[in-house]
């Protein structure tokens, strides 16, 4: 990463999702991701959530790859989606940020910075919304925002649930609203690029409803 001099509001300009950053990195298979679930004691309901996030992410990633970004590595998207909540149960018991701890575990285990970054920023994406440079992180971040517990829902339904559960004060409600607005921004970016209205896309039947 390098410091950005001409945009002071942007602290860092991160490396892209290009192959030069993962040439010697490992991308875990589905079976290896499941082994990590077991190693880090992911409960069944979090596994189910992760599988649904993976379904959404792979559907979008396949569209991205077939239309605008043939170089997108689908296995990066799959691994990041399956592992995005890998530290959640640990942080429920011991505290801390599940995205930060999960990213650290994954980087240590597989040495894949693109997958680790998508896990680190699946809750909040602080960098430019550039689909050409950051497709893995943006797809996984959006996909997680479309899955409420163990069902695929709209952004509004997902964030209404978050407000009910976590909107205990004005600061919390503001943070949740900001996350919703980011989800809408990513949705617009993907919808415009793919020429598909993702807000109406079911992902269960892989069709617009």
């Amino acid at each position: 990463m390098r410091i950005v001099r001409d945009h002071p509001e942007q602290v860092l300009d991160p490396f892209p999702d290009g192959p030069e950053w993962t040439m010697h990195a490992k991308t875990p298979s589905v079976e290896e991701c499941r082994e990590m679930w077991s190693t880090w004691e992911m409960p069944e309901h979090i596994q189910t959530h992760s599988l649904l996030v993976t379904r959404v992410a792979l559907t979008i990633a396949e569209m991205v790859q077939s239309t605008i970004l043939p170089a997108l590595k689908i296995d990066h998207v799959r691994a990041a989606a399956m592992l995005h909540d890998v530290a959640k149960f640990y942080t429920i018991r011991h505290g801390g940020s599940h995205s930060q701890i999960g990213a650290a575990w994954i980087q240590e285990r597989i040495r894949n910075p693109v997958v680790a970054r998508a896990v680190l920023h699946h809750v909040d994406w602080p960098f430019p919304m550039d689909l050409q440079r950051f497709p893995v992180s943006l797809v996984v971040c959006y996909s997680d925002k479309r899955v409420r517990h163990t069902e695929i829902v709209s952004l509004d339904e997902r964030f209404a649930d978050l407000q009910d559960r976590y909107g205990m004060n004005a600061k919390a409600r503001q943070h949740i609203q900001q996350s919703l607005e980011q989800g809408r921004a990513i949705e617009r970016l993907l919808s415009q690029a793919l020429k598909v209205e993702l807000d109406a896309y079911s992902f269960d039947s892989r069709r617009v409803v």
Side-chain angles (χ1 to χ4, degrees):
M1 297 186 183
R2 62 183 186 276
I3 300 296
V4 175
R5 304 294 182 186
D6 55 340
H7 296 289
E9 73 281 0
Q10 182 183 323
V11 178
L12 294 174
D13 181 19
F15 57 81
D17 287 356
E20 65 273 19
W21 292 101
T22 56
M23 187 178 302
H24 304 294
K26 177 179 177 58
T27 305
S29 65
V30 171
E31 292 73 19
E32 289 168 327
C33 287
R34 288 182 177 274
E35 287 175 8
M36 284 184 263
W37 287 358
S38 178
T39 297
W40 293 317
E41 301 179 325
M42 275 179 61
E44 186 175 344
H45 70 283
I46 298 179
Q47 294 181 26
T48 301
H49 169 84
S50 297
L51 288 175
L52 287 178
V53 172
T54 302
R55 180 190 299 178
V56 175
L58 288 178
T59 301
I60 297 173
E62 288 164 4
M63 290 191 287
V64 170
Q65 186 189 60
S66 65
T67 57
I68 61 174
L69 198 59
L72 174 62
K73 299 188 73 171
I74 297 293
D75 58 344
H76 285 174
V77 176
R78 179 185 291 108
M82 289 189 71
L83 297 171
H84 77 284
D85 269 351
V86 75
K88 198 157 197 177
F89 187 56
Y90 176 90
T91 58
I92 289 172
R93 289 189 296 182
H94 303 293
S97 164
H98 76 283
S99 57
Q100 292 178 0
I101 293 172
W105 285 353
I106 290 163
Q107 181 60 18
E108 181 180 21
R109 174 71 70 90
I110 67 174
R111 305 292 181 187
N112 190 316
V114 170
V115 174
R117 179 175 61 194
V119 172
L120 177 62
H121 294 300
H122 78 269
V123 176
D124 177 68
W125 177 249
F127 301 118
M129 290 196 184
D130 187 334
L131 188 57
Q132 292 289 330
R133 294 181 66 199
F134 312 118
V136 178
S137 291
L138 289 171
V139 167
V140 172
C141 184
Y142 173 71
S143 299
D144 179 57
K145 297 180 191 304
R146 286 294 304 268
V147 179
R148 178 182 63 193
H149 307 301
T150 56
E151 60 179 339
I152 300 170
V153 296
S154 69
L155 290 177
D156 287 340
E157 291 171 309
R158 167 79 151 123
F159 281 87
D161 175 68
L162 291 175
Q163 288 285 13
D164 287 342
R165 288 192 293 142
Y166 301 116
M168 295 170 286
N169 54 56
K171 184 176 182 180
R173 290 190 293 273
Q174 180 182 20
H175 179 76
I176 293 168
Q177 183 63 30
Q178 288 172 344
S179 185
L180 170 59
E181 293 304 323
Q182 183 174 81
R184 287 172 174 162
I186 299 174
E187 187 172 73
R188 287 193 298 270
L189 175 71
L190 289 167
S191 295
Q192 290 169 4
L194 299 173
K195 297 179 172 55
V196 172
E197 294 299 325
L198 288 181
D199 62 331
Y201 208 80
S202 71
F203 296 102
D204 285 313
S205 58
R206 295 198 174 194
R207 61 183 174 84
V208 175
V209 295

